[in-house]
Structures are given as structure tokens and as C-alpha cells.
Amino acid sequence: DQGHSLLDLPQLSSSSSSSSSSVGEVEWGEEGQYVYLESHEYLMYNTYDVHFYASFALIQTFPRLELNLQREIGRETLMHRPHDLMTTLADGKRVARKVRGAVPHDVGTPSGDPFLQPNAYCVHDVSHWKDLNSKFVLQVYRDFVATGDRSFLRDMWPVVFETMLYLDVFDRDRDGMIENENFPDQTYDTWDALGVSAYCGGLWVAALSAASSMAALLDLPLDQAHFASQRERASRVLENLWNGSFYDYDSSGKKTDTLMADALAGQWYARACGLASLHPAERVKGTLRQIFLHNVMGCHGGHMGAANGFRPSRSTVDTSSMQSCEVWTGTTDGLAACMMQEGLTKEAWRTLKGMYRATYVDHAYFFQTPEALDMGGRYRAPSYMRPLSIWAVQWALDHPLPLDAPSPHSSSSECP
């Protein structure tokens, strides 16, 4: 039991959410509004940075519920509650619970007032997270690709546009690329990043691609040109992370030997949406092969899944944070789906086999799949949301991509 609920809610609008604007009053119709808990340990509904992975299950089984969930996230994105303050656990700062333009981390907690009081998560200030807004844009586009629902796309576009403008503020040097701020400002919330990061930077480039494609579909040529131009600029910056073998964790110079299993999350989602590759094909496959060699096969001989972080020069997992040395079941699923999309089918199934063995054979966590396993096989957060990303593997099987799909660099000058 994932704490699922299907609610028949009254119509919600900007007035009921303390937002000065709205994409329109949200009506759930016959489907209602679906909520589910992040886990039995993390009591938050529709945790959005994690739903990014898990949403492949909902869009393929109950697509109308998925669209309603996205509409609600859009409504709450436009909330602005600067005087509703909360104290963050990481540093004790007093911050606004909800800032307009910042996609919410969650829609609330069972003990609170879900939908009306989002962001029950209080470890960090999520209005400074660098993945949530990109993930919203990518999921909106993916859901349109899955359903072909143009009315949904039209309704969501104003929120998509505003979320992109909000995240663009974190491009401090105006080179087209957002920068992380030296704290865990993304779903890996004990693993900090500084400057340009492979994870958040890749998601940003993918979101720019999706935004440009949505604008083209809605016949908005100026917006399409703007996002396409910024995508090209951001892409060039992202390629600076290439070290000849894989993409560095970030540009800080402190983690040049860290190989992240989720480094190509943006590539995975962009290709799942049918968008062009974010990187040259040889670099994508090279990075995936390095991840398979080190994060997968270097972690308990390939019998566990993919370690989030690995240091190839030392032949060991990255122990710089609690999460860098864990195996995340949902991340491993997403990685396998990415491998399949890029034609590395054998590596994908071998990766999944190891994760299956560690989770269900060695430890028998049936019907309580955890978020994470440490190197000793101990679990964290049972009955977790992210492992629903196994449905991304089904998506990859059902939506095979041509292996010669164009790269944005294929007809341009050589990458740095």
C-alpha cells in the first residue's frame, strides 16, 4: 500500500490557493484527483522530484489521472505565500513555504492541509532547487506525447513558460546554463553540487528542448526561437563537463573523479519524449558504458544495481555523502531505460538483474520496494515511490527510437 487516495475534490481556483493568477479553475471531472505517498517513512503526497521517475507508471495506466495531477502541480506552482514561513532543518533558516514560479516539492502531508498547504518537506529551501522546474516541463511534454491532448498542452503552457523564466534566474553568469549553489539543491538532497552539474544541467537543456517543441506546437514562433537559442547556448556549456570518458559530476573541480549513475537523466527523458539527443552519440554511449563498468559491475560484482556515485580512479563507490554511496532502485530503473533507448540492451537487462537480485532475492523486499540500499544491503524508505520507474523500461520497449536520431552537434563544429 503506497498510501494511495482518489479524491473527489471541489473545484479549486486561484482564489482558493492564494495565487494572484491561474491557468484557469481546475476541475477534476469524473476522474478526480490522485495522490500517493512518497513512502511510509516520508509522509508527503505527490513528491514531485520523485514522481518524475514514477510517473511513467501513471501515464501508461491511468493517463487522465496523470493529467489531473499535472494540472494541480501547475496550479500550486502559481501560489505565492511569502508570509507563510517555515524553518529549514539543514541550516535553520526561515524561508517562505511557497514562492510563485517555483514548482512545489509536494502537495502536502496527510496531517496537514494537502493542496492548500504544499511543501511539507522542510529540509532545504525547495524554491532554490534546480531540478523541480525542469522536471515539470519535461513531464508536461511527455504527457502530451503520450496522450496527444492539445487542450492540456494549451492549458499548461502559461505555467511552463513561467517555470522556465523562474529557473533561468539561476543562470548567474548569463551563459544560458543554470548553476547549482553548493548545497543539495535537487532530489539527491544530501549530495551537494556547485556550478554546472551533469544532473541539473542536463535536465535544464532537456527542458529547453521540450519548451521549444511545445511553443512550436502552439504556434508561438518567438517563444520557440527563444528557447531553441538558449538550448544551444546551454548545450555548449554542458559539454564542458566531458572529461574524455564521461561527464563530470559538476564544474566545481572537486568531484572530477565522480561518475554519477543519473548523469544522463536529461538525455533519458528527452529521448523518451522523442526529442533530439542532448549530446553527441559517442559521448552518450561512452558515458553509459562507463557507468555500467563502474557503478553497476563495480558494485558487488553487478549483483546490486547501480551505485549513485563511483570513483573510477580508486575503484570504489563515492563516500562523500550518504546518498552517493547508495543504490537507488528507481534511479537504476531509469538508467536501464536510458540504456535501452541508446541501444545498450544487454547492459540494461544486466543492470536490472542485479537490482532485482539485491532487492527481491537476497533481501525479499517484495511489496515494500525501498528507495535505497546501502553497500551492506540495508534498506532506507520502504514502499517508496521512485521504483515505479520500472515502467520507464516498459515505455522504452514500447517506444523504440532510431539509433541514428540526430544530435544537436552532428552538423556543427566539434564540441569542446
Side-chain angles (χ1 to χ4, degrees):
D1 181 9
Q2 190 64 42
H4 305 262
S5 296
L6 186 58
L7 307 174
D8 182 13
L9 293 172
Q11 177 174 290
L12 296 175
S13 67
S14 57
S15 60
S16 64
S17 64
S18 300
S19 168
S20 60
S21 178
S22 176
V23 294
E25 295 181 332
V26 178
E27 298 184 42
W28 309 128
E30 296 180 358
E31 295 86 5
Q33 178 57 246
Y34 175 73
V35 295
Y36 65 129
L37 291 174
E38 182 177 343
S39 82
H40 296 314
E41 292 183 354
Y42 306 149
L43 298 177
M44 291 164 282
Y45 283 132
N46 296 357
T47 302
Y48 201 70
D49 57 304
V50 184
H51 182 70
F52 173 76
Y53 298 82
S55 60
F56 280 96
L58 199 57
I59 192 59
Q60 291 178 87
T61 53
F62 299 100
R64 306 312 299 180
L65 291 181
E66 167 68 7
L67 298 191
N68 277 355
L69 187 154
Q70 299 293 4
R71 291 178 188 273
E72 174 59 24
I73 292 295
R75 184 186 71 86
E76 295 185 24
T77 295
L78 300 183
M79 281 186 181
H80 189 57
R81 294 185 170 178
H83 304 300
D84 181 4
L85 301 180
M86 57 194 295
T87 302
T88 57
L89 296 178
D91 52 22
K93 292 181 179 179
R94 296 285 285 170
V95 301
R97 178 178 298 276
K98 183 66 187 67
V99 176
R100 183 187 172 109
V103 170
H105 172 276
D106 56 82
V107 303
T109 181
S111 62
D113 199 353
F115 305 109
L116 300 180
Q117 192 177 43
N119 289 337
Y121 177 91
C122 60
V123 179
H124 302 289
D125 181 0
V126 294
S127 69
H128 281 252
W129 274 24
K130 308 305 183 299
D131 61 340
L132 287 166
N133 284 34
S134 293
K135 288 175 174 178
F136 174 75
V137 174
L138 286 167
Q139 287 180 80
V140 167
Y141 187 62
R142 190 273 319 277
D143 292 348
F144 166 74
V145 169
T147 63
D149 190 333
R150 284 183 176 265
S151 64
F152 169 75
L153 196 64
R154 285 193 297 270
D155 290 345
M156 300 307 290
W157 175 253
V159 192
V160 166
F161 190 84
E162 187 161 337
T163 60
M164 293 298 287
L165 293 183
Y166 182 92
L167 192 54
D168 184 58
V169 170
F170 297 103
D171 173 13
R172 306 295 189 186
D173 56 7
R174 308 315 301 164
D175 61 356
M177 173 58 73
I178 61 171
E179 291 91 30
N180 294 84
E181 296 182 279
N182 203 28
F183 77 99
D185 48 0
Q186 27 75 29
T187 194
Y188 296 89
D189 60 355
T190 70
W191 197 3
D192 61 6
L194 176 62
V196 179
S197 69
Y199 184 71
C200 293
L203 291 172
W204 172 242
V205 174
L208 288 166
S209 295
S212 177
S213 294
M214 283 187 268
L217 287 164
L218 295 170
D219 195 22
L220 299 169
L222 294 180
D223 293 339
Q224 189 274 331
H226 167 74
F227 289 120
S229 174
Q230 187 165 3
R231 182 231 193 266
E232 291 304 311
R233 294 170 58 223
S235 182
R236 288 193 291 270
V237 176
L238 184 62
E239 290 305 313
N240 289 330
L241 294 178
W242 178 252
N243 64 20
S245 298
F246 56 85
Y247 289 94
D248 286 337
Y249 177 79
D250 65 21
S251 62
S252 67
K254 300 176 181 179
K255 297 183 175 70
T256 55
D257 189 35
T258 293
L259 176 56
M260 186 186 195
D262 223 358
L264 295 179
Q267 170 76 10
W268 162 45
Y269 240 80
R271 297 278 274 153
C273 294
L275 297 169
S277 177
L278 305 189
H279 310 281
E282 66 276 9
R283 293 186 177 183
V284 172
K285 286 193 174 183
T287 298
L288 289 173
R289 287 185 174 121
Q290 288 294 309
I291 292 171
F292 180 73
L293 175 65
H294 297 293
N295 301 62
V296 177
M297 300 306 295
C299 178
H300 287 262
H303 297 306
M304 199 168 187
N308 284 337
F310 199 92
R311 304 189 69 180
S313 68
R314 301 187 181 186
S315 300
T316 184
V317 296
D318 183 336
T319 58
S320 63
S321 79
M322 177 187 76
Q323 292 171 345
S324 63
C325 58
E326 290 180 326
V327 170
W328 283 10
T329 52
T331 294
T332 298
D333 293 334
L335 169 64
C338 184
M339 288 174 171
M340 287 185 179
Q341 289 170 180
E342 303 301 334
L344 302 180
T345 306
K346 291 182 179 179
E347 291 87 344
W349 287 118
R350 182 64 182 81
T351 298
L352 290 170
K353 180 180 179 181
M355 196 259 309
Y356 172 84
R357 172 175 168 170
T359 308
Y360 305 116
V361 177
D362 294 344
H363 298 98
Y365 296 138
F366 289 102
F367 302 104
Q368 51 183 344
T369 307
E371 157 80 317
L373 299 172
D374 67 13
M375 291 301 104
R378 291 173 290 270
Y379 71 84
R380 180 171 61 81
S383 300
Y384 201 71
M385 179 188 292
R386 202 183 319 255
L388 285 170
S389 60
I390 190 65
W391 283 82
V393 175
Q394 187 65 53
W395 179 277
L397 292 171
D398 291 344
H399 301 79
L401 296 171
L403 298 183
D404 58 349
S407 161
H409 307 284
S410 57
S411 61
S412 60
S413 58
E414 289 190 8
C415 301

